Each structure stands twice: as C-alpha cells, then as structure tokens.
Amino acid sequence: MKLFIYHTPELTPTDKTPDCAIVVDVLRATSTIATVLASGGEAVQAFSDLDQLIAVSEKWPSEKRLRAGERGGAKVTGFELGNSPLDCTPEVVQGRRLFISTTNGTRALQRIQHSPTVIAAALINRAAVVHYLWEKQPEIVWIVGSGWEGSFSLEDTVCAGAIAYSLVEKSQLSPDDLAGNDELISAIALYSQWQNDLLGLFHQASHGKRLLRLEGHEDLKYCAQIDILDVLPIQQETGVLKSQ
Ligand code: 3SL
C-alpha cells in the first residue's frame, strides 16, 4: 500500500484515480457525516451546489430528509441544520437522509467521487478507516484534505497523519515504506507532535479560530476526539455515503 496526501481539492491530480480515496474535513463536514451515520441516519448525500441540493432533496419525502448547509462557517438560511455534528443526534437524524453542502468538505468529496472506493474520515472515526485499509489493502490510497478555499489546513493534515501513524504501527513498516509523497511524512510528524493535544492544535488552526469566533468551542472539542465512533462512511452511489 502507498499513501498519498493532497492538502486541498485543488492540489489533487485530475488525470488519474487511486484505488481508494479518503476525504477529510475534520472541521467539520466529515465529522458531521460520520456522526449522522453513527446516529442512524439512512445516508448522507453531498452537494457542492446549494441549488442542486434543493432540487434533488425536493424529490425525497419531507419526513425522511434533512437539509444541512454551511457557508463561511454559518448555517444557510432556510435549512434545518448547519454543519455542527452535535446537532446530529439519533432523535434528529434516525432513518433520514441528510442532504448536505458545505464550503470545502463537500467540494473535496466531489473532487474524488469517481474513484472506485470513496470514504469519509475524521479523527472521531479514524480507527474504522484504518481497519478498512488494513483489511482491504488497496494498493494506491489518496487522502484528500478539504483545506479552506484552496489553502492548507492543520486539522485535516493531522487527521491524515493519524491514519498513516496507525497504519505504520500496525504494519511495522517505516513511514518511508508507506509514503507515496513527502506530504505523508510531514503529516505523520505533525500528528506525532500533537497527538496528546489535538484540541490545542485546533486552537492554533485558522479554521479553528474562525469557528471559535462563531461560538464553536463545543464542536472543536467534539471533533478533536479520536476513535470514538465505529463507523465507516463509504460511497454507495455517486455522492451518497452510507455506513458499512
Ligand atoms: O468547509 C467546510 O466544508 C466546512 O466543514 C466548514 S465549517 O466547519 O462547517 O465551518
């Protein structure tokens, strides 16, 4: 297995696909997706475009759907939910499909949606993702960070590093054996340094600071936890993730 990290959708190659693509948006889209599916949501359907989300979700029975929209960290007016994983309790999401569009995370998902396997990863479901990789042993794996509007993010990189770190531990390979690119080595170093203070790292991250200004402290605390949900969001049809 070779792991490649691409920090943003913009940096992700367009002329090939990996055997397995993993999208990461720790703050907060992939943390929300994992939480919805762990709370009994039927599926999560992701859109980069809000109008398209509205048009597709209109065809779904209203009692079986929820619309979640975020732009610039804030909830989109008229939608039931924003992008806080803490709102996605079993009482709210059980048996329903979440139609979601966010600033960067759903755009990153769209970027790799034609790969044969597409997974959503966050720190909270890291172990489930590692378990899948270890069991299936895909040859080429891409971990694609969502970043923020085209730029690098600390929180997505530390999550990519956490996945790689755990695989290194399991396989007893060196980081160099696993690394498809230099980004992988630096992500492992970032995780190694911050693994005992992920919340502290989020406080230094530009998007962490943005969410703190929007009263997102509880979201940061939740998303900084590791391996708390045994759920693997995996794409079943283009743009639709279900738990496996
Ligand atoms: O950019 C995104 O996709 C979001 O996850 C951003 S936010 O955390 O909801 O503000």
Side-chain angles (χ1 to χ4, degrees):
M1 190 188 321
K2 283 282 181 195
L3 251 61
F4 296 75
I5 295 179
Y6 298 106
H7 290 308
T8 63
E10 290 77 4
L11 289 170
T12 306
T14 51
D15 57 342
K16 49 191 169 191
T17 51
D19 300 301
C20 175
I22 301 173
V23 70
V24 176
D25 185 15
V26 172
L27 295 174
R28 295 166 292 177
T30 53
S31 297
T32 295
I33 291 170
T35 303
V36 167
L37 296 177
S39 298
E42 180 266 331
V44 175
Q45 189 159 358
F47 297 83
S48 55
D49 182 70
L50 288 169
D51 292 334
Q52 211 192 344
L53 182 159
I54 292 169
V56 174
S57 62
E58 283 296 321
K59 299 185 191 125
W60 208 255
S62 58
E63 70 285 3
K64 294 245 178 235
R65 73 167 185 234
L66 283 166
R67 290 164 175 165
E70 167 278 327
R71 287 295 179 269
K75 178 174 170 289
V76 173
T77 313
F79 281 37
E80 286 98 358
L81 298 172
N83 188 25
S84 172
L86 296 176
D87 291 337
C88 302
T89 58
E91 296 70 34
V92 174
V93 304
Q94 185 93 47
R96 294 175 150 198
R97 177 168 294 207
L98 188 86
F99 294 87
I100 187 169
S101 178
T102 68
T103 311
N104 305 285
T106 53
R107 208 162 47 82
L109 249 176
Q110 203 164 44
R111 179 67 203 77
I112 41 86
Q113 68 188 3
H114 298 301
S115 305
T117 302
V118 176
I119 289 170
L123 289 164
I124 54 175
N125 71 331
R126 186 267 312 245
V129 173
V130 170
H131 179 78
Y132 177 88
L133 294 174
W134 187 243
E135 207 175 72
K136 303 285 181 199
Q137 295 285 327
E139 203 174 318
I140 301 293
V141 178
W142 290 1
I143 305 180
V144 175
S146 301
W148 186 266
E149 296 182 339
S151 46
F152 173 92
S153 80
L154 281 171
E155 65 277 9
D156 294 343
T157 308
V158 86
C159 179
I163 293 168
Y165 183 96
S166 178
L167 281 168
V168 165
E169 274 190 335
K170 268 185 186 299
S171 63
Q172 296 177 342
L173 293 170
S174 71
D176 189 33
D177 290 327
L178 202 60
N181 60 6
D182 288 1
E183 286 85 333
L184 200 277
I185 306 284
S186 76
I188 292 176
L190 185 71
Y191 178 71
S192 303
Q193 182 173 342
W194 287 92
Q195 57 183 311
N196 297 319
D197 187 16
L198 292 164
L199 184 59
L201 178 67
F202 288 8
H203 278 254
Q204 299 199 21
S206 54
H207 187 48
K209 290 178 183 165
R210 183 179 296 109
L211 288 176
L212 287 171
R213 288 194 294 274
L214 295 165
E215 320 268 300
H217 190 254
E218 292 305 315
D219 277 2
L220 255 65
K221 276 202 327 216
Y222 176 76
C223 297
Q225 300 173 96
I226 194 146
D227 301 341
I228 59 161
L229 297 183
D230 187 17
V231 66
L232 184 77
I234 189 160
Q235 184 172 262
Q236 306 287 327
E237 59 188 91
T238 307
V240 179
L241 295 128
K242 295 193 177 184
S243 80
Q244 179 169 294

